[in-house]
Amino acid sequence: MTAPTVDTDLDEAPATDDGGRRPAHRYGLLAVTVAVVVGLLLGYAGGLLTPTFTRPGENSPEAGFARDMSTHHAQAVGMGLMAFQQGQDAEVRQIGGDIATGQQGEIGTMQTWLRSWKLDPTGDRPPMAWMPDGAQSVRNGLMPGMATPEELAKLRAARGRAFDVLFLQMMIRHHLGGVHMIDGVLDQSHDDEVRSVAQVMKNTQQTDLTNLQAALKRLGGTL
């Protein structure tokens, strides 16, 4: 199987070490597509730096996290690209672009970990099985915060302010679920590289949450 990817467009704004995002510059859909691909390649390059002398095993928390978070991120990339293309509000478009670029790069890093650990991109364990009581957080086969197919269809069909508000609401829930998963691997992993990358992910998503919640308030939406 191959790593989760998303076939759409977006704008680059990589995360800083403290979880902030540099301002994005809008060059159009072609440049945004290139930015997503570059982010993925940089993620793969970063993952190649992972030490190989202590490889996590098939059923390790690290492997489960890398697999499940890659899937979780892939949905966020798709939603972010929708926001970049369909958003009416300039800040919503930029937030969507930033999330899509950053999380696509992180997918590259996690998939490279799995290859360096000699593990398949996907395993045969249920979602969240690597996390204590993780199965309890799975709803209809979806990991914490993930949108249902019906919710994604509703977002895809929305326009104008209705789209912007719905995107912000859904992405806030998505990020809260992602932070829950990151906390799980931080609690369990002893792999320095995994812990370092996971902490940057958490910092970034917490910064995103602040921006998402502020934008939602500005647009008059509620959770």
Side-chain angles (χ1 to χ4, degrees):
M1 294 187 180
T2 58
T5 56
V6 176
D7 183 18
T8 356
D9 339 73
L10 128 194
D11 201 54
E12 181 171 11
T16 60
D17 289 342
D18 63 358
R21 293 193 187 276
R22 302 186 182 94
H25 301 285
R26 300 180 187 87
Y27 300 113
L29 296 182
L30 177 60
V32 159
T33 304
V34 172
V36 172
V37 174
V38 169
L40 181 62
L41 293 175
L42 290 175
Y44 282 137
L48 288 172
L49 301 178
T50 305
T52 59
F53 49 84
T54 54
R55 292 186 179 123
E58 175 66 28
N59 296 327
S60 65
E62 293 84 0
F65 172 77
R67 288 163 171 159
D68 284 355
M69 189 57 86
S70 290
T71 299
H72 200 272
H73 269 22
Q75 187 179 83
V77 171
M79 290 167 60
L81 291 172
M82 268 194 271
F84 182 82
Q85 292 178 290
Q86 295 177 218
Q88 174 177 277
D89 184 79
E91 185 181 9
V92 167
R93 292 196 302 272
Q94 179 167 328
I95 288 173
D98 291 350
I99 289 171
T101 305
Q103 295 208 3
Q104 189 69 21
E106 290 168 357
I107 288 171
T109 295
M110 292 184 288
Q111 291 297 308
T112 302
W113 286 345
L114 291 168
R115 286 202 304 276
S116 73
W117 299 337
K118 309 301 182 185
L119 301 176
D120 290 334
T122 58
D124 57 6
R125 302 184 78 196
M128 303 295 293
W130 57 275
M131 190 171 169
D133 301 323
Q136 298 177 13
S137 64
V138 177
R139 298 287 183 270
N140 299 316
L142 296 172
M143 288 173 279
M146 290 187 72
T148 66
E150 294 76 17
E151 288 171 331
L152 290 173
K154 183 177 179 181
L155 179 66
R156 200 172 289 113
R159 295 292 182 271
R161 178 185 173 279
F163 174 92
D164 295 339
V165 169
L166 185 57
F167 166 77
L168 294 168
Q169 292 168 333
M170 291 173 62
M171 191 58 78
I172 287 169
R173 292 195 297 270
H174 201 278
H175 267 26
L176 289 172
V179 169
H180 174 69
M181 294 169 66
I182 294 167
D183 282 339
V185 79
L186 288 173
D187 287 343
Q188 296 182 78
S189 179
H190 300 289
D191 185 293
D192 289 342
E193 173 72 9
V194 172
R195 289 181 56 82
S196 176
V197 171
Q199 186 61 59
V200 172
M201 285 186 192
K202 181 175 179 178
N203 295 346
T204 299
Q205 293 201 27
Q206 288 176 326
T207 299
D208 287 346
L209 280 166
T210 298
N211 295 334
L212 289 162
Q213 290 164 346
L216 182 62
K217 181 178 180 180
R218 177 173 58 79
L219 293 176
T222 58
L223 286 174

